[in-house]
Amino acid sequence: AGRPDEALTRLDHAIALAPDFVDAYNYRGVVLNDLKRLDEALASYKQAIALNPESESAYNNLGVLLQNGKRLDEALENFDRAIVLRPDSAEAHMNRGNILRLLGRLDEALASCNRAIELSQHYDQAYNNFGVVLLDLGRWAGALKNFDRAIALNPEYPAANYNKALVKLALGDFEEGWKLFEWRWKEDKQKNQARNFTQPLWLG
């Protein structure tokens, strides 16, 4: 609901009532991560794992936090641990693929993304990330196919539409490419870069 401070207060209250409540520590880490209180989020995930070393979700969430902190090898270790605990976790396989891509291990990244899709046929983010790895490998047609699959599942998916734009522009399809390129203003990495001029946006 976009009320992280209130969520944090309630989770702290839950932990005060039940200090061994693993899920409360795990969700508390998610909220603290959203609030950019990363050291506290790290401590909360580690407490969840200390209370339950079999918590696949806590390892996965900790891996995401470590990835955002550029601690890639540690992140990979946590995603691997999550997969050992729950081999059918499509999310953990997809996250593992992201890390392997960042580490330049593209063939392994493809295998992880493909495994995520095998486990969850309607996982739009997995198709998008699979497409990104194919793009890194210069496999344009395969990348485009996977971005299209992601968009078919979620037409309002900014990253997939933006990535499709990059492929279209690279292949010379400027008419569709430039239209799709407007999705960059909704894509997480670029939406905060939009300029607020008083003049109306010109789309040519």
Side-chain angles (χ1 to χ4, degrees):
R3 294 153 62 184
D5 291 310
E6 185 178 349
L8 185 60
T9 297
R10 291 175 181 261
L11 286 164
D12 285 340
H13 184 56
I15 290 168
L17 292 170
D20 59 350
F21 190 1
V22 175
D23 285 347
Y25 284 102
N26 191 19
Y27 294 133
R28 185 175 183 271
V30 173
V31 175
L32 288 165
N33 190 23
D34 289 343
L35 290 168
K36 308 301 182 187
R37 293 164 59 178
L38 304 185
D39 289 340
E40 294 173 81
L42 183 68
S44 201
Y45 289 138
K46 287 188 173 181
Q47 183 62 29
I49 291 167
L51 289 167
N52 179 14
E54 305 297 307
S55 176
E56 169 269 332
S57 178
Y59 282 109
N60 189 61
N61 289 335
L62 178 55
V64 172
L65 179 69
L66 292 167
Q67 177 181 336
N68 292 337
K70 311 300 182 186
R71 295 162 63 176
L72 303 184
D73 290 321
E74 293 176 77
L76 181 60
E77 289 175 8
N78 279 275
F79 293 137
D80 284 342
R81 180 60 179 161
I83 290 168
V84 168
L85 292 168
R86 188 182 159 197
D88 64 347
S89 172
E91 183 180 3
H93 282 284
M94 186 199 68
N95 288 333
R96 183 176 187 271
N98 289 341
I99 287 291
L100 290 167
R101 173 182 172 261
L102 293 171
L103 290 170
R105 295 159 60 179
L106 299 183
D107 289 336
E108 294 174 81
L110 278 183
S112 285
C113 290
N114 189 56
R115 183 58 182 150
I117 291 168
E118 289 175 349
L119 290 166
S120 181
Q121 297 291 318
H122 297 91
Y123 199 174
D124 56 344
Q125 193 175 350
Y127 283 110
N128 177 68
N129 292 356
F130 195 16
V132 171
V133 180
L134 290 169
L135 198 58
D136 287 348
L137 290 166
R139 294 164 58 177
W140 305 94
L144 188 59
K145 184 178 180 180
N146 278 276
F147 297 143
D148 280 337
R149 286 174 175 170
I151 293 166
L153 291 167
N154 181 5
E156 299 300 309
Y157 188 177
N161 280 283
Y162 173 69
N163 288 329
K164 181 178 178 179
L166 298 180
V167 177
K168 288 288 185 176
L169 291 171
L171 295 176
D173 184 353
F174 299 123
E175 183 174 357
E176 184 175 9
W178 287 125
K179 289 177 182 177
L180 288 170
F181 197 59
E182 293 305 306
W183 279 94
R184 70 192 186 280
W185 302 125
K186 296 183 179 180
E187 206 270 333
D188 285 344
K189 295 179 181 177
Q190 299 197 65
K191 62 185 178 182
N192 293 327
Q193 299 178 28
R195 303 282 293 276
N196 294 315
F197 293 113
T198 56
Q199 295 85 351
L201 182 66
W202 181 69
L203 296 175

